[in-house]
Amino acid sequence: MLTSYFDDYTRDYQYYKGGSWCYEDGCLYRGLITLHEATGEQRWLDHLIRLVSGQVDAQNRLAGYRIDEFNIDNVLAGRALVHLFHLTGEAKWLEAAKPLAEQLRFHPRTQAGPYWHKLRYPHQVWLDGLYMALPFKLEYAKAAGLDDMRQDAVWQFLTALELTHDEASMLYRHGYDESRLQDWADDATGLSPAHWGRAIGWLAMAFVDIIDNLPPGAERADIERRAEKLASAITRLQTVDGRWLQVIDAPQVGGNYAESSATAMFAYFFLKGARLGISGVAAEPGHKALDSLVTHEMKADAQGRLRLENICCVAGLGGFEGVYRDGTVNYYLSEVIRADDIKGVAPLMMAYAETRRAAREQHVVKAAE
């Protein structure tokens, strides 16, 4: 069922922002990469090359991309370029990724070191941005042989974890404002007030993708220990039916709901973390979450076509389009919900791909026996 859904979804996919380079399309590219790696099926690679090629011109320029926007979100899709370089050996893909690496050379930083989320969000670190930028930075550094870039990515991640961690809950807050100028920022800590499920989901995916790009050693062990603690905290918050809530730790609040993108992201985190052998990260919560999404959130529309329901369209912090997003529980519960948004579909692809990969590897082991 899911394989056909993903194939149909990608076949009919329209670029999220009319063809301009953006993180939403990058989410889909990550889903297709994981499906191709897990199954070896050519169709996923064909979809990936078709879509990415449509955003890179003959001079290897990215459609609609401007480095001077310093938008951290735009970096994510660059992981597809690095992947295609490794897969094909064609230098054009790495050349197309070079402006994104250059952006990270000059991207504004907090005094503590991590990148500003965007130029229009000065002095702020958001969990989203850790996923958008740092796995790419590691992968590009490896492809280009830039060890200083690799070291900076690891250092930034560890620093950002310290800045955004909430000791009482053992979770991480969506945003941190070093300047304390934002109304949403706590005067003492600089942290936003609530625990948004998808923000922590972005972070959870960053954890396993960063760990996957690190060799054994002290740095990897440190990040794995933190991943284990996060796994313990979010396991306790999984609902009885296997999902996670929009505001992950507020089940008592009326209107809170099981949100599909966060659930899929955590499923990927547990399934991949278990495959990577991270101590304390078990596959079982991921399997339970994936099964729950299929049971409760995959529903047919009037034409009989499957859709993934209950995806928060977008959420952020601070002023945007005339609205001030204050980061409270009520704010996160006010955001628009829709079906089939790529921010839910792509992590569902990734989580499903992990189950296919595990089954494939288990088959190989049994065949060898």
Side-chain angles (χ1 to χ4, degrees), residues 77-350:
R79 295 180 70 186
L81 301 171
V82 178
H83 178 78
L84 289 172
F85 167 71
H86 284 303
L87 202 62
T88 67
E90 296 177 11
K92 68 175 185 178
W93 297 117
L94 199 62
E95 185 66 22
K98 188 175 181 179
L100 301 170
E102 283 293 292
Q103 176 185 326
L104 295 184
R105 282 186 61 205
F106 299 104
H107 197 96
R109 295 174 181 245
T110 61
Q111 290 183 4
Y115 295 127
W116 290 7
H117 187 59
K118 297 179 185 178
L119 190 62
R120 71 173 185 262
Y121 299 129
H123 312 291
Q124 299 168 42
V125 178
W126 294 11
L127 299 183
D128 324 22
L130 304 182
Y131 179 71
M132 302 299 166
L134 299 183
F136 166 83
K137 190 164 183 170
L138 285 170
E139 291 165 3
Y140 185 90
K142 182 178 180 180
L146 302 172
D147 191 58
D148 57 338
M149 190 177 188
R150 182 200 68 80
Q151 291 176 0
D152 185 68
V154 174
W155 174 76
Q156 279 206 53
F157 188 61
L158 289 169
T159 303
L161 293 178
E162 293 293 333
L163 295 174
T164 57
H165 190 244
D166 173 45
E167 188 66 30
S169 65
M170 299 302 292
L171 297 170
Y172 294 84
R173 297 289 174 85
H174 186 181
Y176 164 78
D177 175 20
E178 185 174 62
S179 69
R180 312 296 199 271
L181 293 176
Q182 292 296 316
D183 289 345
W184 54 256
D186 181 88
D187 290 340
T189 66
L191 294 175
S192 55
H195 293 113
W196 179 36
R198 187 159 77 222
I200 303 171
W202 291 124
L203 177 64
M205 295 201 300
F207 261 111
V208 290
D209 285 5
I210 286 172
I211 289 167
D212 196 20
N213 279 286
L214 293 178
E219 290 175 337
R220 176 167 174 157
D222 188 5
I223 295 173
E224 286 187 353
R225 283 193 294 270
R226 296 166 191 257
E228 180 181 1
K229 290 180 180 179
L230 177 61
S232 176
I234 60 180
T235 298
R236 293 194 298 270
L237 297 171
Q238 190 171 23
T239 64
V240 172
D241 68 12
R243 292 174 288 175
W244 281 272
L245 301 178
Q246 167 74 342
V247 181
I248 191 170
D249 58 345
Q252 75 285 357
V253 175
N256 205 356
Y257 61 95
E259 199 277 325
S260 294
S261 68
T263 298
M265 289 174 176
F266 290 137
Y268 173 69
F269 166 72
F270 281 106
L271 292 166
K272 184 170 182 176
R275 174 170 64 80
L276 294 175
I278 302 172
S279 177
V281 181
E284 193 276 332
H287 286 295
K288 185 177 180 181
L290 189 57
D291 290 345
S292 186
L293 286 172
V294 171
T295 300
H296 297 287
E297 301 295 0
M298 296 297 302
K299 299 177 182 177
D301 63 15
Q303 289 72 45
R305 182 163 176 167
L306 286 175
R307 306 194 313 168
L308 179 64
E309 303 279 349
N310 283 316
I311 304 168
C312 174
C313 181
V314 68
L317 295 165
F320 182 70
E321 296 183 349
V323 175
Y324 192 83
R325 302 167 298 180
D326 63 8
T328 60
V329 172
N330 287 338
Y331 158 68
Y332 289 117
L333 298 183
S334 73
E335 281 289 6
V336 172
I337 302 168
R338 70 182 186 190
D340 269 1
D341 190 279
I342 190 57
K343 294 181 286 293
V345 176
L348 184 67
M349 288 178 170
M350 299 180 213

